Amino acid sequence: MATNNEILIIGPPGSGKTTFLAQLYFRLVDKKGKLQQASAPENIDGIKSAYRRLANGEETESTPSTDNLEVKIPVIYEGQEFVLHCKDYGGEQVRDLVALMEYDKTWIDRAKTNDRWILFIRPSEIEHRFDLSKKGYAVKDQKETKAPSSGTSDQSQFIELLQVLLHARGTGMKDSIDTPRLLIALTCWDELNTNLRPEEILQQKMPLFAHFIAANWLPGAFNIVGISAQEFPLKTDEARDKYLDEMPQNFGFLVLDDNPKEKDLTRLIEKALKL
Ligand SMILES: Nc1nc2c(ncn2[C@@H]2O[C@H](COP(=O)(O)OP(=O)(O)OP(=O)(O)O)[C@@H](O)[C@H]2O)c(=O)[nH]1
Ligand SMILES: [Mg+2]
C-alpha cells in the first residue's frame, strides 16, 4: 500500500507537542539539519506564540482545547521539496477521545489522511504500575490499593487511544498493521536521567502498551525514540537566561539508535518519513 508523507502528532496535554513544533521551526529556519526550510512558511499560526516565548526564554503555554492551528512549512529533504504539514491542537482533545470513546469529523479526517503517526508520551508522567513481584500479598496499604482516579491505567489509556484512532481511520486489527506507520516518541527525556534506551524505558514503564504495539504492528512499521525538545525545564531565572543567551535552537536532542544524543531535532520527522 502506498504510504503518504502526511504526519499526525498525537499527544495528551503537556506531552510537549507545541514545544517540539516551535523548536523544529527554529531548526528548519537555521538550515543546518536534515530537513531545512525551502521557502517562506505558508502558515505557522500553531507555533507563533510558542516560538516567541521560547526566544524569550519562557515555556510554551498550554494550547486551548478548542484550538486547531496549522503549521505548513515548505521544506527540503534529501533534495526533494515538500510541504511539511502538522497541526497544533489542545491535547485535551486527545484526552476526550479516550474519555468519551467518540470522535468527530476533525479526528476522522486526521486519522484517515495522515499515514504517519507520531505518538507523544511523557514517561515521567506515567504512573508506576503495581508490581506484584516487588510487593507480595502481605503488605496491604489502603492508600495504594484504591483505584486510580482516572479509572484505567495510563498505559491502557494509550492503548484505547490508538484503538479509537484506528477505528476512526477504518483500519482493522485482524492483520498486522502496516499503515499508519507509528513512531513512539518518549518526550521530556531529560526528566528521566537515564542511560537506558527508549525501548527499554517503554518496556519498563508501559509493558502492556509495548506488548500491544509489538503484537499489532508489523516489525518495520513502528519505532521508538526519545526526545527532549527543550533539554531542561525553564523554571528558574538561570535556565531562562541560558535560553536567552544561547538561543533555543542550540538546545534539545533526540535519543536514536544511531545516536544517543542527536542534536538535529529535524531527524524526528526523518524517522517518521523513513518508517
Ligand atoms: N524538561 C522539559 N520540559 C519540557 C520539554 N518539552 C516541553 N516541556 C515542558 O512541558 C510543558 C508542556 O509542553 P507543551 O509543549 O506546552 O505541551 P503540549 O503537548 O503542547 O500541551 P497542550 O497544549 O496542553 O496539549 C511545558 O511546561 C514545557 O516547558 C522538554 O524537552 N524537557
Ligand atoms: Mg500545546
Side-chain angles (χ1 to χ4, degrees):
M1 190 206 285
T3 307
N4 70 31
N5 282 343
E6 296 288 317
I7 294 173
L8 176 65
I9 295 179
I10 308 159
S15 54
K17 301 179 294 298
T18 311
T19 305
F20 166 68
L21 286 172
Q23 283 287 62
L24 177 69
Y25 185 53
F26 275 109
R27 299 295 212 280
L28 293 173
V29 173
D30 246 18
K31 298 191 181 176
K32 290 183 193 140
K34 284 259 181 144
L35 272 81
Q36 306 183 353
Q37 181 176 271
S39 51
E42 292 178 20
N43 192 334
I44 51 162
D45 286 351
I47 47 177
K48 257 188 209 151
S49 124
Y51 184 81
R52 224 176 296 125
R53 289 184 68 87
L54 284 177
N56 281 325
E58 294 163 348
E59 296 180 328
T60 56
E61 284 174 319
S62 176
T63 312
S65 67
T66 48
D67 269 12
N68 287 299
L69 300 171
E70 295 281 352
V71 179
K72 272 187 171 177
I73 308 165
V75 293
I76 187 151
Y77 170 63
E78 291 189 336
Q80 291 218 327
E81 215 177 297
F82 68 98
V83 177
L84 179 67
H85 183 193
C86 300
K87 291 257 189 240
D88 193 46
Y89 54 83
E92 288 297 337
Q93 293 181 25
V94 167
R95 197 167 270 168
D96 284 351
L97 288 173
V98 176
L100 310 173
M101 275 292 172
E102 59 184 33
Y103 41 79
D104 58 11
K105 189 172 174 315
T106 307
W107 280 96
I108 295 176
D109 285 349
R110 278 180 194 166
K112 282 192 172 162
T113 54
N114 296 280
D115 285 351
R116 298 170 192 279
W117 296 359
I118 306 181
L119 178 61
F120 273 28
I121 301 176
R122 187 173 182 169
S124 65
E125 295 201 337
I126 298 295
E127 68 187 30
H128 279 286
R129 71 203 160 102
F130 181 74
D131 188 345
L132 196 59
S133 65
K134 294 204 182 111
K135 268 275 194 274
Y137 284 108
V139 258
K140 194 166 175 231
D141 183 329
Q142 283 303 332
K143 279 202 296 296
E144 285 192 30
T145 47
K146 79 172 191 266
S149 53
S150 53
T152 51
S153 73
D154 286 333
Q155 52 175 341
S156 30
Q157 292 198 25
F158 276 103
I159 293 174
E160 283 170 9
L161 171 63
L162 287 177
Q163 284 173 327
V164 170
L165 289 171
L166 287 170
H167 190 262
R169 185 184 162 94
T171 300
M173 294 178 66
K174 259 205 207 137
D175 298 318
S176 294
I177 300 168
D178 168 73
T179 316
R181 305 287 155 81
L182 181 66
L183 183 64
I184 297 166
L186 303 180
T187 64
C188 304
W189 188 267
D190 57 287
E191 295 176 330
L192 300 173
N193 291 315
T194 183
N195 289 321
L196 293 177
R197 288 180 297 119
E199 50 271 45
E200 291 170 328
I201 289 288
L202 191 72
Q203 185 60 43
Q204 192 187 71
K205 293 229 166 204
M206 304 172 77
L208 192 68
F209 176 79
H211 179 75
F212 169 81
I213 299 299
N216 287 293
W217 262 265
L218 282 170
F222 74 95
N223 198 359
I224 305 155
V225 299
I227 172 166
S228 172
Q230 201 173 273
E231 201 159 334
F232 48 83
L234 293 173
K235 303 279 184 214
T236 61
D237 285 343
E238 198 190 349
R240 286 188 281 267
D241 285 347
K242 208 167 156 186
Y243 243 64
L244 267 175
D245 293 345
E246 292 172 47
M247 314 288 283
Q249 58 269 42
N250 290 311
F251 298 107
F253 61 90
L254 300 172
V255 185
L256 306 178
D257 278 346
D258 54 19
N259 186 354
K261 201 150 189 190
E262 169 66 64
K263 296 290 287 175
D264 179 7
L265 290 184
T266 72
R267 289 201 62 204
L268 188 79
I269 303 297
E270 176 185 52
K271 285 281 169 192
L273 293 175
K274 285 262 160 103
L275 266 177

